[in-house]
Amino acid sequence: CTLMDTSDSDEDMRRAVQLSLEPSSPQMKTTRMVTSQVPSRSVIDLVSDEEVGLNSATQKSDVQNKSPSVEPPPPSQGLLGLDRKAMGLERLARKRKASISPPKPQEAARQHTESLGTPQYQSGKKARPSHSKLSGDRSFPLIGNAMSNLTSRVQFPNGAVKKTWAFGYERVNDIKLEEVLQRDSLQLAVFSSFQWDVDWLLRKVNTKTTQIVFVMGIKEDEAKRQYREDSASIPNLRLCFPSMEGQINCMHSKLMLLSHETHLRVVIPTANLVPYDWGETGVMENTVFMIDLPRLPDEKITGEQHMTDFGKDLIFFLKAISLDKTIIESISRFDLAATKDLAFVHTIGGAHLGEDEPWRRTGYCGLGKAIKQLGLDTEEQLELDFITSSVGSLNLEFLATIYLAAQGSDGMAEYNWRNSPKVKASKQLSAENKGSIFHEKNIKAQAQIGTRIYFPTEDTVRRSRGCTANAGTICFQKKWWESSSFPHQVMHDCISQRPGMLMHSKVCQS
C-alpha cells in the first residue's frame, strides 16, 4: 500500500480528467478482452494437449406496447478490461487518501496465472467449492492413454437444453459456466462471443493445462495487433479473427468447443462471455444447448461419408470463421452419430457466391435447408413462438421469410417476391406472377396469425430485480415500434418463470 503524493495534484487532476474523457476506439465498445500474439508456425489440435504450433419461461399474452431504452454504450475500456473513465475518477479520489496502485497490464496477466484455482466471489459472497469427482489440478497425458470413466465425464450424450444458473434462485434444470467447462479435464477450449470479460473468463480456466482460442470479431488491423501484443504474456492463449472485410461489421456468434480426454463438448449458448449473462449478478438468464461427442478409439476417424449434416455444417462454419485447420480436422476424431437428428444452423456475414451455392447453407436459407434435411418440412400452417432479447425493424416481409424457412423453404420464394415485376394492373401479370403474389399474401397472413414474439415490456423491465439499469442488452428502439409497417399484433410480454429475472435467451419453438 502506498500513500499518494499530493505535490503534483494539479497536473494529476488534469491528466485524470483528460483520461476519463478520452473516447475508446470503435472496436472496444463491446469488448472486454486481451488477446495473444499468434506465431506463424503454431498449431493447436483438439486431439492433443500439447502445443505444436498455430497458423493463424412462463409468458404473458399481453400485447407489447412499450419498450425499454436502447442499449447504452459501455464505458470506455482498456486492455484487460480496465474501465478508463472509472480509473480517472478513482485517481482523483486517491489524491485524498491512501490507495493500492493498480498493476500494470503485464502484472495483471501474471496475477491471472497465479490466481488460477482460487475461489471466485459472486455478489459479495464466497462461492461454494465444487464437489466434482474430477476436482483438483493435474497434468494431462496425451489423448488415447485414458479412456476410463467415460460415463462420468460424458454428461449429455444426446444433447440438452438448460437455463443458465442465477445467483439467489433455486437450482432447477440450470447450469453454471464452471459446470459447462469441466475445467479439471479441459484440454482445449475454443470460445466465440460478442461481448467479453476476459479477466473474468480466465479465472474459470486453468491456463497452465488448457490451450485456449478466442474467436473475436475485430475489424481494424491496428486493433488486432494491439490485442495480440497486450495478451502475449498469458499462457496458452491464441486468437482467431474471422473475416470482417467489406460490409461485415459484426461477429455475434456464440459457440464453445471444449475438448477433453473422453469427449468433445459442443456448446451453443445465448450468453456472452460476461458474468451477468451467466447469472453471477442474479438479474439475467440465458439458454445453453450442449452435446457431448465421445472420442473415437485411437487411429479411427469419422469419414466424410459418415459425417452427419450437423457435423458438416459445423465444419463449414469453422472454416468460414478462419479457425485453425488442425482444430477443424480434429472434429473427425469424435463420434457424431448422436447428432443425426440435429442441425447446426449459422449465419455468416458477407456475400455468398460460388458454384456450390454457399448461400443455401447459412442464414434463413440454411434454416430452411436444415428443416428439410430433418424431414420436418411442411406446407401446413405453423405456430411459431419466439423468445428474444433484441428486436429490430421488424415487418411482415421479414416475418414471412422466417416463417417460410421454418416450413423448409430454401429461400427462393422470398427471393422471387423481391425480384418479381411490380405491375399495378393485374391483367398485365402472367399466371405465374399472379400465383406468386397470391402465395406471398397468403404466407404473410399465415405468418402474422401464427407468430408470437415474446419481449419484455417496459413495466416488466422496471419490476425486474435489476430494473432498467441492468437491461442494457435488452434492445428495442422506439422508432421501430412506431413504424407503420411494424407488426404490433405479434408482440407479447416476456416473463421468466424465475420471478424478477430478465431473459437474454433466443429460442424458437414450433
Side-chain angles (χ1 to χ4, degrees):
C1 182
T2 59
L3 186 64
M4 302 301 291
D5 184 2
T6 59
S7 62
D8 61 345
S9 60
D10 291 340
E11 177 62 19
D12 285 341
M13 184 173 292
R14 285 194 295 271
R15 291 175 58 193
V17 170
Q18 181 182 8
L19 176 63
S20 68
L21 295 177
E22 285 181 8
S24 60
S25 64
Q27 294 75 27
M28 301 184 65
K29 286 186 177 181
T30 58
T31 313
R32 297 186 66 195
M33 60 188 161
V34 291
T35 59
S36 165
Q37 180 66 43
V38 184
S40 60
R41 63 183 181 282
S42 308
V43 180
I44 293 179
D45 190 346
L46 285 174
V47 178
S48 173
D49 64 340
E50 291 189 346
E51 180 178 344
V52 292
L54 182 63
N55 287 330
S56 25
T58 56
Q59 299 139 341
K60 292 176 61 178
S61 60
D62 299 337
V63 175
Q64 173 95 7
N65 55 16
K66 294 183 180 180
S67 64
S69 57
V70 183
E71 177 181 359
S76 56
Q77 296 163 345
L79 300 172
L80 291 170
L82 299 178
D83 187 331
R84 297 165 60 203
K85 182 174 181 179
M87 288 175 62
L89 297 176
E90 289 170 2
R91 181 178 177 87
L92 294 178
R94 289 198 299 267
K95 300 290 98 183
R96 299 174 177 85
K97 65 179 182 178
S99 172
I100 300 175
S101 300
K104 296 179 179 179
Q106 295 85 350
E107 177 67 13
R110 182 186 64 79
Q111 291 175 3
H112 274 307
T113 303
E114 293 180 350
S115 66
L116 290 171
T118 58
Q120 302 305 306
Y121 290 81
Q122 298 146 355
S123 300
K125 295 185 178 181
K126 188 173 180 178
R128 295 181 180 180
S130 170
H131 296 289
S132 168
K133 293 180 180 179
L134 300 177
S135 61
D137 293 337
R138 61 184 178 84
S139 298
F140 302 112
L142 291 175
I143 299 308
N145 293 343
M147 293 297 290
S148 60
N149 299 322
L150 182 63
T151 56
S152 65
R153 297 185 184 183
V154 176
Q155 297 174 299
F156 309 109
N158 298 311
V161 176
K162 291 184 175 291
K163 297 179 293 185
T164 51
W165 166 79
F167 178 81
Y169 288 88
E170 181 183 2
R171 299 204 63 180
V172 179
N173 191 37
D174 66 2
I175 194 163
K176 294 184 176 183
L177 178 58
E178 291 86 349
E179 295 165 346
V180 171
L181 297 177
Q182 299 178 297
R183 162 185 166 138
D184 295 317
S185 62
L186 184 59
Q187 298 176 334
L188 184 141
V190 177
F191 296 102
S192 174
S193 184
F194 177 61
Q195 292 178 308
W196 299 76
D197 186 338
V198 170
D199 184 75
W200 165 81
L201 178 60
L202 288 177
R203 294 196 298 267
K204 308 288 186 182
V205 182
N206 190 336
T207 60
K208 295 178 181 179
T209 57
T210 303
Q211 296 182 64
I212 307 167
V213 179
F214 288 164
V215 181
M216 298 179 296
I218 307 300
K219 194 172 180 72
E220 301 297 331
D221 290 339
E222 176 60 25
K224 296 176 187 178
R225 184 197 65 77
Q226 188 66 49
Y227 295 149
R228 289 189 179 114
E229 274 188 14
D230 292 339
S231 63
S233 60
I234 298 182
N236 293 327
L237 176 60
R238 298 294 181 265
L239 301 182
C240 171
F241 294 121
S243 172
M244 299 288 287
E245 296 179 355
Q247 62 185 340
I248 307 174
N249 292 299
C250 178
M251 171 64 179
H252 204 267
S253 299
K254 301 164 185 68
L255 175 68
M256 300 181 200
L257 300 178
L258 307 173
S259 180
H260 302 264
E261 278 183 341
T262 54
H263 63 285
L264 171 67
R265 174 167 289 182
V266 180
V267 184
I268 305 173
T270 64
N272 287 292
L273 289 170
V274 291
Y276 52 83
D277 266 7
W278 286 93
E280 295 195 3
T281 60
V283 299
M284 191 77 68
E285 75 177 18
N286 277 273
T287 307
V288 186
F289 168 80
M290 298 167 292
I291 187 167
D292 293 338
L293 308 176
R295 188 180 296 278
L296 293 169
D298 289 346
E299 308 303 325
K300 290 191 176 182
I301 63 171
T302 299
E304 185 175 354
Q305 67 276 21
H306 297 296
M307 184 66 70
T308 63
D309 291 326
F310 179 99
K312 291 177 182 178
D313 282 307
L314 172 61
I315 291 172
F316 181 85
F317 177 75
L318 298 179
K319 289 180 178 178
I321 64 174
S322 305
L323 192 63
D324 183 79
K325 180 180 179 181
T326 305
I327 297 179
I328 297 175
E329 292 176 347
S330 298
I331 301 294
S332 65
R333 300 291 183 91
F334 299 89
D335 185 356
L336 280 78
T339 68
K340 64 181 178 62
D341 295 323
L342 300 173
F344 186 88
V345 181
H346 47 73
T347 58
I348 301 170
H352 305 286
L353 306 174
E355 294 182 359
D356 56 347
E357 299 182 321
W359 59 269
R360 293 184 180 271
R361 303 188 65 172
T362 194
Y364 65 82
C365 298
L367 173 60
K369 176 185 72 72
I371 295 293
K372 193 172 186 65
Q373 286 177 336
L374 293 172
L376 300 174
D377 52 310
T378 181
E379 294 183 358
E380 299 296 323
Q381 170 85 38
L382 292 178
E383 299 290 327
L384 299 179
D385 291 278
F386 289 91
I387 297 174
T388 185
S389 64
S390 181
V391 179
S393 181
L394 197 60
N395 54 39
L396 280 180
E397 285 72 20
F398 183 75
L399 277 185
T401 296
I402 299 300
Y403 185 88
L404 277 171
Q407 286 185 320
S409 169
D410 62 359
M412 289 306 299
E414 183 272 342
Y415 174 82
N416 290 331
W417 294 348
R418 287 189 287 113
N419 292 277
S420 61
K422 305 297 181 182
V423 182
K424 294 183 179 180
S426 60
K427 62 182 181 180
Q428 297 182 37
L429 291 172
S430 65
E432 181 180 357
N433 284 330
K434 286 181 179 180
S436 176
I437 290 175
F438 174 79
H439 183 236
E440 179 180 358
K441 290 180 177 180
N442 185 45
I443 290 296
K444 287 181 178 179
Q446 288 185 32
Q448 189 170 3
I449 295 171
T451 302
R452 289 168 294 278
I453 298 175
Y454 300 93
F455 183 90
T457 63
E458 184 177 8
D459 288 341
T460 295
V461 174
R462 291 189 183 280
R463 291 194 303 266
S464 69
R465 291 181 70 177
C467 199
T468 56
N470 289 277
T473 54
I474 309 298
C475 304
F476 192 17
Q477 294 190 40
K478 183 179 179 179
K479 65 179 180 179
W480 302 141
W481 174 259
E482 293 178 344
S483 171
S484 60
S485 61
F486 193 93
H488 301 90
Q489 63 274 20
V490 306
M491 301 298 292
H492 300 268
D493 198 4
C494 183
I495 302 178
S496 172
Q497 289 182 337
R498 294 188 276 197
M501 181 71 70
L502 288 176
M503 301 174 68
H504 189 254
S505 298
K506 292 89 176 168
V507 178
C508 176
Q509 177 174 306
S510 174

